[in-house]
Every structure is written in structure tokens, then in C-alpha cells.
Amino acid sequence: MNQEVFFKDSAASLVIKREDLLHPFISGNKYRKLKYNIKRAKETDARLLLTFGGAFSNHIAAVAYAGREHGFNTIGVVRGDELSLKQSLNPTLKFAYDCGMELKFISRKDYRRKRDKHYIEILKSEYGDFFLIPEGGTNTFAVKGCEEILESTDLHFDYICCAVGTGGTISGVINASRPHQKILGFPALKGDFLREDIRKFANQDNWELITNYHFGGYAKIKPELITFINRFKATYNIPLDPIYTGKMMYGILDLIDHGFFPQDSKILAIHTGGLQGIDGMNIKLRKKGLPTIE
């Protein structure tokens, strides 16, 4: 996809791979993750897709639209049973519902059972057979799709940077990279559990997680990040989301400023999309009396 050079100095050059431009509604890494999941669902003659996600999930929105586009019925199992009375107020869930997705709201306790085979059987007894796409879309089909993010024109980059949620995107990037390239992941979540999740899919060791830029954890945001995202868009005309790409880009530029990268390093940053979540985040920011994302 399109790449845009927007930063150069004597220490490093930085290029963005605009995966967010792949599709207007199935954005960035979600497009990649769903490609082979959808293909497999068609091969097995599935008619129903079921997946899991939070209230502002990029994945929920993407599966809903992809299901409509490819002729599947869809069910989104959403974390938080209290949301059933609020779905019309949430831009993400309203979009999914308008795409035809049936939303099932469950307690956080039940949501933790999303990988439990017994709980999956309970869902099948309720809805019939379905093609299961896990939370965030990460499985072997998703990793295969994400292996297609890197192209032959990307071989000259020394560092490839990627935001990390469930680990599927970075695993695909690692598998497609060359030994001379270092893959840097910027997790949106706190904790070290992601390393083990990535090792389940990655077949190389040329990667590292940069864990200092999560801004408090998943879906956490601070005024300095909002300021950065708005300034970045005003300067480079590239929108960033507050959950993933905003934190990654903040981290990359901070690392450049602090001399992390060797002289003349060539850096590729992957824009994984997720921009649909901005509207929902702005609702939360307004309630807190904080500036919003432009």
C-alpha cells in the first residue's frame, strides 16, 4: 500500500505504510486478519460468523461489515452486559448493528471464558453451528494474512514498527521479515503475557516489544497523547487512533529523539487502521472534560 515519508533527520528516516487505506470499513490489519478467515469460512460452507470484542472493538466493526459484504450472518459477543441498554449511544456497536450483526452482551466473568470449549458449545446450542473468529481475529488464518503486509519494496528497511493488541499482526510481520530486519512491537496493553502469545505464531526471533508507551494500558489515554495525535494530523495529514497507532507513533518519535536507533536507520511504521474508534473515544473524553481527537 501507499507509503509516505514524513520525517527525516541525520539519525533516521521514517516511512509510514498506510494499511489504513486498504478498505473504508474493514480497516488495516483487520482486512488482513479476516482475508483467510473469510476464505476458510466459505470453504466450510459456514453461514454464520461469531466473534468476541469490547464495546469499541475495531474487530467487531470489521467482522460485521465483512459478514454483510460476503453474505454471512454475524454475531458479536460483547464484553459487558450493562451495555445492552447503551448500544444506541456507542458508534461502534451501532455500526455493527446497522451492518446486520446480532449483539450478545455478556458479563465480564463470562467473557473470560471466550476460549473455553465448554462455553463455545453453550453458544452453539444457542445459535447453531458457526465459524468462530477469536477476539481480535488472531489465529493461524489471521497471521497468514498479516504475512502479506510486507512487500518486496520493504526489504531495505532496518526496523519495522507495529502496534500490538492480540499479537497476530506482529506475528505475521515477523514471519515475513528478513533476518537483517528488527521488528519492534508497541503493545497497547500492560503486562508481559503478549510475548508468549506472539511466540505461538512467530517463526523468527528478530523482534522486541517496547513496553513504555501504553499510557496506562488498553484504552487508556492521557492529554499528552491527545495533543500528539492532533498535532500529528495537522502536520502530516495522517490520522492516528488513540488505542494503537497513536501510541506507536508517539513511541517511535520519542525513541528517535532519545537516540535509540543507530545512525542512518531506515524505519517503517505500519499504520494498522482502527480509526473508527475515535468517535467512541471522544464520547469518553467529553464526559471527562478532556480535549477531543480532531
Side-chain angles (χ1 to χ4, degrees), residues 232-247:
F232 191 91
K233 183 179 179 181
T235 304
Y236 305 112
N237 196 31
I238 300 175
L240 302 173
D241 84 287
I243 308 299
Y244 296 106
T245 57
K247 295 177 179 181

Side-chain angles (χ1 to χ4, degrees), residues 3-110:
Q3 299 181 357
E4 183 171 345
V5 178
F6 70 90
F7 176 90
K8 279 189 177 183
D9 69 6
S10 58
S13 63
L14 178 58
V15 174
I16 286 187
K17 179 179 276 288
R18 297 293 305 274
E19 290 283 294
D20 59 308
L21 301 177
L22 279 174
H23 190 283
F25 300 110
I26 311 172
S27 180
N29 64 336
K30 301 308 177 188
Y31 181 94
R32 302 289 189 181
K33 285 183 172 184
L34 289 175
K35 177 179 178 179
Y36 290 107
N37 272 289
I38 294 293
K39 183 175 184 293
R40 181 58 178 168
K42 290 181 178 179
E43 290 171 349
T44 58
D45 295 322
R47 302 195 181 278
L48 177 64
L49 308 177
L50 182 142
T51 195
F52 295 84
F56 300 97
S57 168
N58 296 322
H59 177 66
I60 287 285
V63 170
Y65 192 91
R68 187 176 75 173
E69 191 171 70
H70 292 278
F72 293 97
N73 294 321
T74 56
I75 296 170
V77 182
V78 181
R79 181 180 61 248
D81 49 1
E82 76 282 358
L83 295 169
S84 60
L85 300 176
K86 301 178 181 179
Q87 70 182 77
S88 62
L89 303 178
N90 179 326
T92 299
L93 297 181
K94 185 178 185 305
F95 175 83
Y97 181 82
D98 289 345
C99 287
M101 174 175 274
E102 180 178 344
L103 300 172
K104 178 180 177 64
F105 298 91
I106 62 174
S107 68
R108 283 161 172 75
K109 179 180 179 181
D110 282 343

Side-chain angles (χ1 to χ4, degrees), residues 2-254:
N2 296 342
Q3 299 181 357
E4 183 171 345
V5 178
F6 70 90
F7 176 90
K8 279 189 177 183
D9 69 6
S10 58
S13 63
L14 178 58
V15 174
I16 286 187
K17 179 179 276 288
R18 297 293 305 274
E19 290 283 294
D20 59 308
L21 301 177
L22 279 174
H23 190 283
F25 300 110
I26 311 172
S27 180
N29 64 336
K30 301 308 177 188
Y31 181 94
R32 302 289 189 181
K33 285 183 172 184
L34 289 175
K35 177 179 178 179
Y36 290 107
N37 272 289
I38 294 293
K39 183 175 184 293
R40 181 58 178 168
K42 290 181 178 179
E43 290 171 349
T44 58
D45 295 322
R47 302 195 181 278
L48 177 64
L49 308 177
L50 182 142
T51 195
F52 295 84
F56 300 97
S57 168
N58 296 322
H59 177 66
I60 287 285
V63 170
Y65 192 91
R68 187 176 75 173
E69 191 171 70
H70 292 278
F72 293 97
N73 294 321
T74 56
I75 296 170
V77 182
V78 181
R79 181 180 61 248
D81 49 1
E82 76 282 358
L83 295 169
S84 60
L85 300 176
K86 301 178 181 179
Q87 70 182 77
S88 62
L89 303 178
N90 179 326
T92 299
L93 297 181
K94 185 178 185 305
F95 175 83
Y97 181 82
D98 289 345
C99 287
M101 174 175 274
E102 180 178 344
L103 300 172
K104 178 180 177 64
F105 298 91
I106 62 174
S107 68
R108 283 161 172 75
K109 179 180 179 181
D110 282 343
Y111 193 84
R112 288 193 287 271
R113 303 170 63 195
K114 60 185 179 290
R115 297 181 182 178
D116 186 315
K117 291 182 179 179
H118 178 65
Y119 187 65
I120 299 302
E121 289 303 317
I122 291 175
L123 291 172
K124 286 186 176 181
S125 68
E126 180 176 355
Y127 294 108
D129 198 21
F130 52 75
F131 185 87
L132 176 65
I133 302 177
E135 179 185 45
T138 292
N139 56 15
T140 54
F141 300 116
V143 173
K144 179 180 179 181
C146 291
E147 288 173 358
E148 298 177 355
I149 292 174
L150 294 184
E151 304 168 288
S152 59
T153 53
D154 301 324
L155 295 179
H156 67 286
F157 288 103
D158 305 302
Y159 291 87
I160 301 169
C161 299
C162 181
V164 181
T166 54
T169 303
I170 191 173
S171 296
V173 171
I174 292 166
N175 293 348
S177 67
R178 297 301 175 90
H180 72 275
Q181 296 177 312
K182 184 68 175 284
I183 314 304
L184 301 181
F186 292 77
L189 299 82
K190 295 170 68 173
D192 292 332
F193 63 93
L194 281 169
R195 288 185 171 85
E196 293 306 314
D197 289 345
I198 294 168
R199 289 190 182 103
K200 294 176 185 176
F201 297 105
N203 58 23
Q204 300 191 79
D205 296 321
N206 59 335
W207 57 279
E208 177 183 352
L209 294 184
I210 308 296
T211 59
N212 299 328
Y213 300 100
H214 53 68
F215 285 83
Y218 184 73
K220 302 292 185 181
I221 190 169
K222 296 180 180 179
E224 63 188 288
L225 181 60
I226 302 170
T227 299
F228 171 80
I229 290 172
N230 288 339
R231 184 183 300 128
F232 191 91
K233 183 179 179 181
T235 304
Y236 305 112
N237 196 31
I238 300 175
L240 302 173
D241 84 287
I243 308 299
Y244 296 106
T245 57
K247 295 177 179 181
M248 175 191 70
M249 289 307 309
Y250 184 103
I252 294 171
L253 295 185
D254 191 57

